[in-house]
Amino acid sequence: MGVDRRQFLKLAGIAGALGLGGSVGFQLLKPGSLDAAERMPTPYQMVFPKSQGNSEVMPNPKALKGRRWGMVIDMRKLTEEKARAAIQACNYYHNVPDIPGKQTIKWIWLTGYVNAFPEVENPFADPEIKNARFIAMCNHCDNPPCVRVCPTKATFQREDGIVMMDMHRCIGCRFCMAGCPYGSRSFNFRDPRPFIKKEYPLYPTRTKGVVEKCTFCSERLAVGKLPYCAEASGGAMVFGDVDDAGSELRRLLRSRYSIRRKPNLGTHPQVYYLV
Ligand code: SF4
Ligand code: SF4
């Protein structure tokens, strides 16, 4: 497939918008898919001002803006069905492969109370809570150890708090995985693409040798949409601006008691569970 300079710069623009810097890690588009990609909205609906004949990437004016993004998970509303819908949406739209066993790739998953909150284990706790299955995901910590230990800055924190991955800078050392106390990161021990049941064409696939995780759906926020999991969860997951006292997220946090995972570690997780 011939890719001229202008097309190349467009792809580079998409990669730049995602924080992707090099040539491996993500497979942006398959051979022959460039024309189709041009007809479709781009993954992040960035504006390419064709009339100007250049490849400048402009932010989408509809992009959601928050000073500090966070997620609230309402355990009274989170049925198994809603949790599965949220997980399925995330996995499909992010091309998360279905690899069984120890090499599994997890962006969002279900886990038990004791696993999620080992420090608050209490034999007399409400059985409804103790037996509940909690959604776990990257907490987009305010003080993320994963960012501090990454030697190449492949993982970094945005101003709005989202902890991102630059797949092309990732050298696969897995220091970030050792640094994350929540198991929120997964390593591609093998090429994940054969394990994607049905590929979603508007999101890049990854390659062997890189780490991946939840991004709070940065690509959705960039076009004014909420994260897939929040949208699919039937109101059990509420995404919003933790710094905005008038947000729905803050209203929920005022209205009910909430817990966070391993708060004693000082990571300041920004995923809150209403219990
Ligand atoms: S949950 Fe783990 S991967 Fe996510 S920001 Fe916190 S330390 Fe990093
Ligand atoms: S915020 Fe987006 S990337 Fe993160 S778990 Fe939810 S759907 Fe997946």
Side-chain angles (χ1 to χ4, degrees), residues 39-123:
R39 283 196 300 276
M40 291 186 284
T42 66
Y44 314 102
Q45 294 201 336
M46 296 295 172
V47 177
F48 297 106
K50 287 186 179 171
S51 58
Q52 295 167 27
N54 65 44
S55 61
E56 188 183 342
V57 177
M58 307 279 287
N60 187 313
K62 289 186 186 156
L64 297 185
K65 291 187 180 58
R67 290 220 319 233
R68 208 316 162 197
W69 294 122
M71 185 81 80
V72 162
I73 302 176
D74 186 340
M75 291 308 297
R76 282 190 202 151
K77 287 190 180 166
L78 189 74
T79 60
E80 188 93 6
E81 195 185 3
K82 286 178 180 174
R84 295 214 173 277
I87 293 168
Q88 204 174 12
C90 177
N91 287 348
Y92 171 64
Y93 287 112
H94 296 122
N95 289 322
V96 178
D98 185 11
I99 303 177
K102 288 188 176 164
Q103 296 184 353
T104 190
I105 304 288
K106 301 177 303 187
W107 285 38
I108 174 171
W109 69 101
L110 280 170
T111 190
Y113 175 72
V114 175
N115 272 342
F117 306 100
E119 73 289 354
V120 291
E121 214 282 308
N122 169 2

Coordinates of all heavy atoms in Angstrom, one line a residue, residues 39-123:
R39 N -12.8 7.5 5.2 CA -14.2 7.7 5.0 C -14.9 7.8 6.4 O -15.9 8.5 6.6 CB -14.8 6.6 4.2 CG -14.6 6.7 2.7 CD -15.5 5.8 1.9 NE -15.3 4.4 2.3 CZ -14.4 3.6 1.7 NH1 -13.6 4.1 0.8 NH2 -14.3 2.4 2.1
M40 N -14.4 7.0 7.3 CA -15.0 6.9 8.6 C -14.6 8.1 9.5 O -13.5 8.7 9.2 CB -14.6 5.6 9.4 CG -15.2 4.4 8.7 SD -14.8 3.0 9.7 CE -13.1 2.7 9.3
P41 N -15.3 8.4 10.5 CA -14.7 9.4 11.5 C -13.4 8.8 12.0 O -13.3 7.6 12.2 CB -15.8 9.5 12.6 CG -17.0 8.8 12.1 CD -16.6 7.9 11.0
T42 N -12.4 9.6 12.2 CA -11.2 9.1 12.7 C -11.4 8.6 14.1 O -12.4 9.0 14.8 CB -10.1 10.2 12.7 OG1 -10.5 11.2 13.7 CG2 -9.9 10.8 11.4
P43 N -10.5 7.8 14.6 CA -10.7 7.2 16.0 C -11.1 8.3 17.0 O -11.8 8.1 17.9 CB -9.4 6.5 16.3 CG -8.8 6.2 15.0 CD -9.3 7.3 14.0
Y44 N -10.5 9.4 16.9 CA -10.6 10.4 17.9 C -11.3 11.6 17.4 O -11.4 12.6 18.1 CB -9.3 10.6 18.6 CG -8.7 9.3 18.8 CD1 -7.7 8.8 18.0 CD2 -9.2 8.5 19.8 CE1 -7.2 7.5 18.2 CE2 -8.8 7.2 20.0 CZ -7.8 6.7 19.1 OH -7.4 5.4 19.3
Q45 N -11.8 11.5 16.2 CA -12.5 12.6 15.6 C -11.7 13.9 15.7 O -12.3 15.0 16.0 CB -13.9 12.7 16.1 CG -14.7 11.5 15.7 CD -16.2 11.7 15.8 OE1 -16.6 12.6 16.5 NE2 -17.0 11.0 15.1
M46 N -10.5 13.8 15.5 CA -9.7 15.0 15.4 C -10.0 15.7 14.1 O -10.4 15.1 13.2 CB -8.2 14.7 15.5 CG -7.8 14.1 16.8 SD -8.0 15.2 18.1 CE -7.7 14.2 19.5
V47 N -9.8 17.0 14.1 CA -10.2 17.8 12.9 C -8.9 17.9 12.0 O -7.9 18.4 12.5 CB -10.7 19.2 13.3 CG1 -11.0 20.0 12.0 CG2 -11.9 19.0 14.1
F48 N -9.0 17.4 10.9 CA -7.9 17.5 9.9 C -8.4 18.6 8.9 O -9.2 18.3 8.0 CB -7.6 16.2 9.2 CG -7.1 15.1 10.1 CD1 -8.0 14.1 10.5 CD2 -5.9 15.2 10.7 CE1 -7.5 13.1 11.3 CE2 -5.4 14.2 11.6 CZ -6.3 13.2 11.9
P49 N -7.9 19.8 9.0 CA -8.4 20.8 8.1 C -7.9 20.6 6.7 O -6.9 21.2 6.2 CB -7.8 22.1 8.7 CG -6.7 21.7 9.5 CD -6.9 20.2 9.9
K50 N -8.6 19.8 5.9 CA -8.2 19.4 4.6 C -8.1 20.6 3.7 O -7.2 20.7 2.8 CB -9.2 18.4 4.0 CG -9.1 17.0 4.6 CD -10.0 16.1 3.9 CE -9.8 14.7 4.5 NZ -10.8 13.7 4.1
S51 N -9.0 21.6 3.9 CA -9.0 22.7 3.0 C -7.6 23.4 3.1 O -7.2 24.1 2.1 CB -10.1 23.7 3.4 OG -9.9 24.1 4.8
Q52 N -7.0 23.3 4.2 CA -5.7 24.0 4.3 C -4.5 23.1 3.8 O -3.4 23.6 3.8 CB -5.4 24.3 5.8 CG -6.4 25.3 6.4 CD -6.2 25.4 7.9 OE1 -5.2 25.1 8.4 NE2 -7.3 25.8 8.5
G53 N -4.9 21.9 3.4 CA -3.9 21.0 2.8 C -2.8 20.7 3.7 O -1.7 20.4 3.3
N54 N -3.1 20.7 5.0 CA -2.0 20.3 5.9 C -2.6 19.2 6.9 O -3.7 18.9 6.9 CB -1.4 21.5 6.6 CG -2.4 22.1 7.5 OD1 -3.1 21.5 8.3 ND2 -2.4 23.5 7.5
S55 N -1.7 18.8 7.8 CA -2.1 17.7 8.6 C -2.2 18.1 10.1 O -2.2 17.3 11.0 CB -1.1 16.5 8.5 OG 0.2 17.1 9.0
E56 N -2.4 19.4 10.3 CA -2.5 19.9 11.7 C -3.6 19.2 12.5 O -4.7 19.0 11.9 CB -2.7 21.4 11.6 CG -2.6 22.0 13.0 CD -2.9 23.5 12.8 OE1 -2.9 24.0 11.7 OE2 -3.2 24.1 13.9
V57 N -3.4 18.8 13.7 CA -4.4 18.1 14.5 C -5.0 19.1 15.4 O -4.3 19.8 16.2 CB -3.8 16.9 15.3 CG1 -4.8 16.3 16.2 CG2 -3.2 15.9 14.3
M58 N -6.3 19.3 15.4 CA -7.0 20.3 16.2 C -7.8 19.5 17.2 O -8.4 18.5 16.9 CB -7.9 21.2 15.4 CG -7.2 21.8 14.2 SD -6.3 23.3 14.7 CE -7.6 24.4 15.0
P59 N -7.9 20.0 18.5 CA -8.8 19.3 19.4 C -10.2 19.5 19.0 O -10.6 20.5 18.5 CB -8.5 20.0 20.7 CG -7.7 21.3 20.4 CD -7.2 21.2 19.0
N60 N -11.0 18.4 19.3 CA -12.4 18.5 19.0 C -13.1 19.5 20.0 O -12.9 19.3 21.2 CB -13.0 17.1 19.1 CG -14.4 17.0 18.7 OD1 -15.2 17.8 19.1 ND2 -14.7 16.0 17.9
P61 N -13.8 20.4 19.4 CA -14.4 21.4 20.4 C -15.4 20.8 21.3 O -15.7 21.4 22.4 CB -15.1 22.4 19.4 CG -15.2 21.7 18.1 CD -14.1 20.7 18.0
K62 N -15.9 19.6 21.0 CA -16.9 18.9 21.9 C -16.2 18.1 23.0 O -16.9 17.5 23.9 CB -17.7 17.9 21.1 CG -18.7 18.6 20.2 CD -19.6 17.5 19.6 CE -20.5 18.0 18.5 NZ -20.9 17.0 17.6
A63 N -14.9 18.1 23.0 CA -14.1 17.3 24.0 C -14.6 17.6 25.4 O -14.8 18.8 25.8 CB -12.6 17.5 23.9
L64 N -14.8 16.6 26.3 CA -15.1 16.8 27.6 C -13.9 17.3 28.4 O -12.8 16.8 28.2 CB -15.6 15.5 28.3 CG -16.8 14.8 27.8 CD1 -17.2 13.6 28.6 CD2 -18.0 15.8 27.7
K65 N -14.1 18.3 29.2 CA -13.0 18.9 29.9 C -13.2 18.7 31.4 O -14.3 19.1 31.9 CB -12.8 20.4 29.6 CG -12.4 20.6 28.2 CD -12.0 22.0 27.9 CE -11.6 22.2 26.4 NZ -12.6 21.8 25.4
G66 N -12.3 18.2 32.1 CA -12.4 18.1 33.5 C -11.1 18.4 34.2 O -10.0 18.2 33.6
R67 N -11.1 18.9 35.4 CA -9.8 19.2 36.1 C -9.2 18.0 36.6 O -8.0 17.8 36.7 CB -10.1 20.3 37.2 CG -10.4 21.6 36.6 CD -9.8 22.7 37.4 NE -9.8 22.5 38.8 CZ -10.2 23.4 39.7 NH1 -10.8 24.5 39.2 NH2 -10.2 23.2 40.9
R68 N -10.1 17.0 37.1 CA -9.6 15.8 37.7 C -10.6 14.7 37.5 O -11.6 14.7 38.2 CB -9.3 16.0 39.1 CG -8.2 15.2 39.8 CD -8.3 13.8 39.4 NE -7.0 13.1 39.6 CZ -6.8 11.9 39.1 NH1 -7.7 11.4 38.2 NH2 -5.7 11.2 39.3
W69 N -10.4 13.8 36.5 CA -11.4 12.8 36.2 C -11.4 11.7 37.3 O -10.3 11.3 37.8 CB -11.2 12.2 34.9 CG -11.4 13.1 33.7 CD1 -10.5 13.4 32.7 CD2 -12.6 13.8 33.4 NE1 -11.1 14.3 31.8 CE2 -12.3 14.5 32.2 CE3 -13.9 13.9 33.9 CZ2 -13.3 15.3 31.6 CZ3 -14.8 14.7 33.3 CH2 -14.5 15.4 32.2
G70 N -12.6 11.2 37.6 CA -12.7 10.0 38.5 C -13.9 9.2 38.2 O -14.8 9.6 37.3
M71 N -14.1 8.1 38.8 CA -15.2 7.2 38.6 C -15.8 6.8 39.9 O -15.1 6.5 40.9 CB -14.7 6.0 37.9 CG -15.8 5.0 37.4 SD -16.6 5.5 35.9 CE -15.5 4.9 34.7
V72 N -17.1 6.8 40.0 CA -17.8 6.2 41.2 C -18.6 5.0 40.7 O -19.2 5.0 39.7 CB -18.8 7.3 41.7 CG1 -19.9 6.6 42.6 CG2 -18.1 8.4 42.5
I73 N -18.4 3.9 41.5 CA -19.1 2.7 41.2 C -20.1 2.4 42.3 O -19.7 2.3 43.5 CB -18.1 1.5 41.1 CG1 -17.1 1.8 39.9 CG2 -18.9 0.2 40.8 CD1 -16.0 0.8 39.8
D74 N -21.4 2.4 42.0 CA -22.4 2.2 43.0 C -22.7 0.8 43.2 O -23.4 0.1 42.3 CB -23.7 3.0 42.5 CG -24.8 3.0 43.6 OD1 -24.7 2.1 44.5 OD2 -25.7 3.8 43.5
M75 N -22.3 0.2 44.3 CA -22.4 -1.2 44.5 C -23.9 -1.7 44.7 O -24.2 -2.9 44.5 CB -21.5 -1.7 45.6 CG -20.0 -1.6 45.3 SD -19.6 -2.4 43.8 CE -20.0 -4.1 44.1
R76 N -24.8 -0.8 45.0 CA -26.2 -1.2 45.1 C -26.8 -1.4 43.7 O -27.7 -2.1 43.5 CB -27.0 -0.1 45.8 CG -26.8 -0.1 47.3 CD -27.8 0.8 48.0 NE -27.3 1.2 49.3 CZ -27.5 2.3 50.0 NH1 -28.3 3.2 49.4 NH2 -27.1 2.5 51.1
K77 N -26.2 -0.6 42.8 CA -26.8 -0.7 41.4 C -26.0 -1.7 40.5 O -26.5 -2.1 39.5 CB -26.7 0.6 40.7 CG -27.7 1.7 41.2 CD -27.7 2.9 40.3 CE -28.7 3.9 40.8 NZ -28.5 5.2 40.2
L78 N -24.8 -2.1 40.9 CA -24.0 -2.9 40.1 C -24.4 -4.4 40.1 O -23.8 -5.1 40.9 CB -22.5 -2.7 40.4 CG -21.6 -3.4 39.4 CD1 -21.5 -2.6 38.1 CD2 -20.2 -3.6 40.0
T79 N -25.3 -4.8 39.3 CA -25.7 -6.2 39.2 C -24.6 -6.9 38.4 O -23.8 -6.2 37.7 CB -27.0 -6.4 38.5 OG1 -26.9 -5.8 37.2 CG2 -28.1 -5.7 39.3
E80 N -24.5 -8.2 38.5 CA -23.6 -9.0 37.7 C -23.8 -8.7 36.2 O -22.8 -8.5 35.4 CB -23.8 -10.5 38.0 CG -22.8 -11.4 37.4 CD -21.6 -11.7 38.3 OE1 -21.6 -11.3 39.5 OE2 -20.6 -12.3 37.8
E81 N -25.1 -8.5 35.8 CA -25.4 -8.3 34.4 C -24.8 -6.9 33.9 O -24.2 -6.8 32.8 CB -26.9 -8.3 34.3 CG -27.4 -8.4 32.9 CD -28.9 -8.3 32.8 OE1 -29.5 -8.0 33.8 OE2 -29.4 -8.4 31.7
K82 N -25.0 -5.9 34.8 CA -24.5 -4.6 34.4 C -23.0 -4.6 34.3 O -22.4 -4.0 33.5 CB -25.0 -3.5 35.4 CG -26.5 -3.2 35.2 CD -26.9 -2.2 36.2 CE -28.4 -1.9 36.1 NZ -28.9 -1.0 37.1
A83 N -22.4 -5.3 35.3 CA -20.9 -5.3 35.3 C -20.4 -6.0 34.1 O -19.4 -5.6 33.4 CB -20.4 -6.1 36.6
R84 N -21.0 -7.1 33.7 CA -20.6 -7.8 32.5 C -20.8 -7.0 31.2 O -19.9 -7.0 30.3 CB -21.3 -9.1 32.3 CG -21.0 -10.1 33.4 CD -21.0 -11.5 33.0 NE -20.5 -12.3 34.2 CZ -19.2 -12.5 34.5 NH1 -18.3 -12.0 33.7 NH2 -18.9 -13.2 35.6
A85 N -21.9 -6.2 31.2 CA -22.1 -5.3 30.0 C -21.0 -4.3 29.9 O -20.5 -4.0 28.9 CB -23.5 -4.6 30.1
A86 N -20.6 -3.7 31.1 CA -19.5 -2.7 31.1 C -18.2 -3.3 30.7 O -17.5 -2.7 29.8 CB -19.4 -2.1 32.5
I87 N -17.9 -4.5 31.1 CA -16.6 -5.2 30.8 C -16.6 -5.5 29.3 O -15.6 -5.3 28.6 CB -16.5 -6.4 31.7 CG1 -16.2 -6.0 33.1 CG2 -15.3 -7.3 31.2 CD1 -16.3 -7.2 34.1
Q88 N -17.8 -6.0 28.8 CA -17.8 -6.4 27.4 C -17.6 -5.2 26.5 O -16.9 -5.3 25.5 CB -19.2 -7.0 27.2 CG -19.2 -7.9 26.0 CD -20.6 -8.6 25.9 OE1 -21.6 -8.2 26.6 NE2 -20.7 -9.6 25.1
A89 N -18.2 -4.1 26.9 CA -18.1 -2.9 26.0 C -16.6 -2.4 26.0 O -16.1 -2.2 24.9 CB -19.0 -1.8 26.6
C90 N -16.0 -2.4 27.2 CA -14.6 -2.0 27.2 C -13.7 -2.9 26.4 O -12.9 -2.5 25.5 CB -14.1 -1.9 28.7 SG -12.4 -1.5 28.8
N91 N -13.9 -4.2 26.6 CA -13.1 -5.2 25.8 C -13.3 -5.1 24.3 O -12.3 -5.1 23.6 CB -13.4 -6.6 26.3 CG -12.9 -6.8 27.7 OD1 -12.1 -6.1 28.2 ND2 -13.3 -7.9 28.3
Y92 N -14.5 -4.9 23.9 CA -14.8 -4.9 22.5 C -14.2 -3.6 21.8 O -13.4 -3.7 20.9 CB -16.3 -5.0 22.2 CG -16.6 -4.7 20.7 CD1 -16.1 -5.6 19.7 CD2 -17.2 -3.6 20.3 CE1 -16.2 -5.4 18.4 CE2 -17.4 -3.4 18.9 CZ -16.9 -4.2 18.0 OH -17.1 -4.0 16.7
Y93 N -14.5 -2.5 22.4 CA -14.1 -1.2 21.8 C -12.6 -0.9 21.9 O -12.1 0.0 21.3 CB -14.9 -0.1 22.3 CG -16.4 -0.1 21.8 CD1 -17.4 -0.4 22.7 CD2 -16.6 0.1 20.5 CE1 -18.7 -0.4 22.2 CE2 -17.9 0.0 20.0 CZ -19.0 -0.2 20.8 OH -20.3 -0.3 20.4
H94 N -11.9 -1.7 22.8 CA -10.5 -1.5 22.9 C -9.7 -2.7 22.4 O -8.5 -2.8 22.6 CB -10.1 -1.2 24.4 CG -10.7 0.1 24.8 ND1 -11.6 0.2 25.9 CD2 -10.6 1.4 24.3 CE1 -12.0 1.5 26.1 NE2 -11.4 2.2 25.1
N95 N -10.4 -3.6 21.7 CA -9.7 -4.7 21.2 C -8.8 -5.5 22.2 O -7.6 -5.8 22.0 CB -8.8 -4.3 20.0 CG -9.6 -3.9 18.8 OD1 -10.6 -4.6 18.5 ND2 -9.2 -2.9 18.1
V96 N -9.4 -5.6 23.4 CA -8.7 -6.4 24.4 C -8.8 -7.9 24.1 O -9.9 -8.4 23.9 CB -9.4 -6.1 25.8 CG1 -8.7 -6.9 26.9 CG2 -9.3 -4.6 26.1
P97 N -7.7 -8.6 24.0 CA -7.8 -10.0 23.6 C -8.3 -10.8 24.7 O -8.2 -10.5 25.9 CB -6.3 -10.3 23.2 CG -5.5 -9.3 24.1 CD -6.3 -8.1 24.2
D98 N -8.8 -12.0 24.3 CA -9.3 -12.9 25.3 C -8.3 -14.1 25.4 O -8.4 -15.1 24.7 CB -10.7 -13.4 24.8 CG -11.3 -14.4 25.8 OD1 -10.8 -14.4 27.0 OD2 -12.3 -15.0 25.5
I99 N -7.3 -13.9 26.2 CA -6.3 -14.9 26.4 C -6.5 -15.5 27.8 O -6.4 -14.8 28.8 CB -4.9 -14.2 26.3 CG1 -4.7 -13.5 25.0 CG2 -3.8 -15.3 26.6 CD1 -3.4 -12.7 24.9
P100 N -6.8 -16.8 27.8 CA -7.0 -17.4 29.1 C -5.7 -17.6 29.9 O -4.6 -17.6 29.3 CB -7.6 -18.8 28.7 CG -7.1 -19.0 27.3 CD -6.8 -17.7 26.7
G101 N -5.9 -17.8 31.2 CA -4.7 -18.2 32.0 C -3.9 -17.0 32.5 O -4.4 -15.9 32.5
K102 N -2.6 -17.3 32.8 CA -1.8 -16.3 33.4 C -1.4 -15.1 32.5 O -1.0 -14.1 32.9 CB -0.5 -16.9 33.9 CG -0.8 -17.8 35.2 CD 0.5 -18.2 35.8 CE 0.2 -19.0 37.0 NZ 1.3 -19.8 37.5
Q103 N -1.6 -15.3 31.2 CA -1.2 -14.3 30.2 C -2.4 -13.4 29.9 O -2.4 -12.6 28.9 CB -0.6 -14.9 29.0 CG 0.7 -15.6 29.3 CD 1.4 -16.1 28.1 OE1 0.9 -16.1 27.0 NE2 2.6 -16.7 28.3
T104 N -3.5 -13.5 30.7 CA -4.7 -12.7 30.4 C -4.4 -11.2 30.4 O -3.5 -10.7 31.1 CB -5.8 -13.1 31.4 OG1 -7.0 -12.5 31.0 CG2 -5.5 -12.5 32.8
I105 N -5.2 -10.5 29.6 CA -5.1 -9.0 29.5 C -6.3 -8.4 30.1 O -7.4 -8.8 29.7 CB -5.0 -8.6 28.0 CG1 -3.8 -9.3 27.3 CG2 -4.9 -7.1 27.9 CD1 -2.4 -8.8 27.7
K106 N -6.1 -7.6 31.1 CA -7.3 -7.0 31.8 C -7.3 -5.5 31.8 O -6.3 -4.9 32.2 CB -7.3 -7.4 33.3 CG -7.2 -8.9 33.6 CD -7.1 -9.2 35.1 CE -5.9 -8.5 35.7 NZ -5.6 -8.8 37.1
W107 N -8.4 -4.9 31.3 CA -8.5 -3.5 31.5 C -9.5 -3.2 32.6 O -9.5 -2.3 33.3 CB -9.1 -2.9 30.2 CG -8.0 -2.7 29.1 CD1 -7.0 -3.6 28.8 CD2 -7.9 -1.6 28.2 NE1 -6.3 -3.1 27.8 CE2 -6.8 -1.9 27.4 CE3 -8.6 -0.4 28.0 CZ2 -6.4 -1.0 26.3 CZ3 -8.2 0.4 27.0 CH2 -7.1 0.1 26.2
I108 N -10.5 -4.1 32.7 CA -11.6 -4.0 33.7 C -12.1 -5.4 34.0 O -12.3 -6.1 33.0 CB -12.7 -3.0 33.2 CG1 -13.9 -2.9 34.1 CG2 -13.1 -3.3 31.8 CD1 -14.9 -1.8 33.8
W109 N -12.3 -5.7 35.3 CA -12.6 -7.1 35.6 C -13.3 -7.1 36.9 O -13.4 -6.1 37.6 CB -11.3 -7.9 35.6 CG -10.4 -7.6 36.7 CD1 -10.2 -8.3 37.9 CD2 -9.4 -6.6 36.8 NE1 -9.2 -7.8 38.7 CE2 -8.7 -6.7 38.0 CE3 -9.1 -5.5 36.0 CZ2 -7.7 -5.8 38.5 CZ3 -8.1 -4.6 36.4 CH2 -7.4 -4.8 37.6
L110 N -13.8 -8.3 37.2 CA -14.6 -8.5 38.4 C -13.7 -9.2 39.5 O -13.0 -10.2 39.1 CB -15.8 -9.4 38.2 CG -17.0 -8.6 37.6 CD1 -18.1 -9.6 37.1 CD2 -17.6 -7.6 38.6
T111 N -13.8 -8.8 40.7 CA -13.0 -9.5 41.8 C -13.8 -9.4 43.1 O -14.8 -8.6 43.2 CB -11.7 -8.8 41.9 OG1 -10.8 -9.5 42.8 CG2 -11.8 -7.4 42.5
G112 N -13.4 -10.2 44.0 CA -14.1 -10.3 45.3 C -13.7 -9.2 46.2 O -12.7 -8.5 46.0
Y113 N -14.5 -9.1 47.3 CA -14.3 -8.0 48.3 C -12.9 -8.1 48.9 O -12.2 -7.1 49.1 CB -15.4 -8.2 49.3 CG -15.3 -7.2 50.5 CD1 -15.5 -5.9 50.4 CD2 -14.9 -7.7 51.8 CE1 -15.5 -5.0 51.5 CE2 -14.9 -6.9 52.9 CZ -15.1 -5.5 52.7 OH -15.0 -4.7 53.8
V114 N -12.5 -9.3 49.3 CA -11.3 -9.5 50.0 C -10.1 -9.2 49.1 O -9.1 -8.6 49.6 CB -11.1 -10.9 50.6 CG1 -9.8 -11.2 51.3 CG2 -12.2 -11.2 51.6
N115 N -10.2 -9.5 47.9 CA -9.1 -9.2 46.9 C -9.1 -7.7 46.7 O -8.0 -7.1 46.6 CB -9.4 -9.8 45.6 CG -8.8 -11.2 45.5 OD1 -7.9 -11.5 46.3 ND2 -9.3 -12.0 44.6
A116 N -10.2 -7.1 46.6 CA -10.3 -5.6 46.2 C -9.9 -4.8 47.4 O -9.2 -3.8 47.3 CB -11.7 -5.3 45.7
F117 N -10.3 -5.2 48.6 CA -10.1 -4.3 49.8 C -9.5 -5.2 51.0 O -10.1 -5.3 52.0 CB -11.5 -3.7 50.3 CG -12.2 -3.0 49.1 CD1 -13.2 -3.6 48.4 CD2 -11.8 -1.7 48.8 CE1 -13.8 -3.0 47.4 CE2 -12.4 -1.1 47.7 CZ -13.5 -1.7 47.1
P118 N -8.3 -5.7 50.8 CA -7.8 -6.6 51.8 C -7.6 -5.9 53.1 O -7.7 -6.6 54.2 CB -6.4 -7.0 51.2 CG -6.1 -6.0 50.1 CD -7.4 -5.5 49.6
E119 N -7.4 -4.6 53.1 CA -7.1 -3.9 54.4 C -8.3 -3.7 55.2 O -8.2 -3.3 56.4 CB -6.3 -2.6 54.2 CG -7.1 -1.5 53.6 CD -7.5 -1.7 52.1 OE1 -7.1 -2.6 51.4 OE2 -8.2 -0.8 51.6
V120 N -9.5 -3.8 54.6 CA -10.7 -3.6 55.4 C -11.5 -4.9 55.6 O -12.7 -4.9 55.9 CB -11.7 -2.5 54.8 CG1 -11.1 -1.1 54.8 CG2 -12.0 -2.9 53.3
E121 N -10.8 -6.0 55.5 CA -11.4 -7.3 55.7 C -12.0 -7.3 57.1 O -11.3 -6.9 58.1 CB -10.3 -8.4 55.6 CG -10.9 -9.7 55.0 CD -11.6 -10.5 56.0 OE1 -11.1 -10.8 57.0 OE2 -12.8 -10.8 55.7
N122 N -13.2 -7.7 57.2 CA -13.9 -7.7 58.5 C -14.9 -8.8 58.6 O -15.8 -8.9 57.7 CB -14.7 -6.3 58.6 CG -15.6 -6.2 59.7 OD1 -15.7 -7.2 60.5 ND2 -16.3 -5.1 59.9
P123 N -14.7 -9.8 59.5 CA -15.6 -10.9 59.5 C -17.0 -10.6 59.7 O -17.9 -11.4 59.4 CB -15.0 -11.8 60.7 CG -14.2 -10.8 61.5 CD -13.7 -9.8 60.6

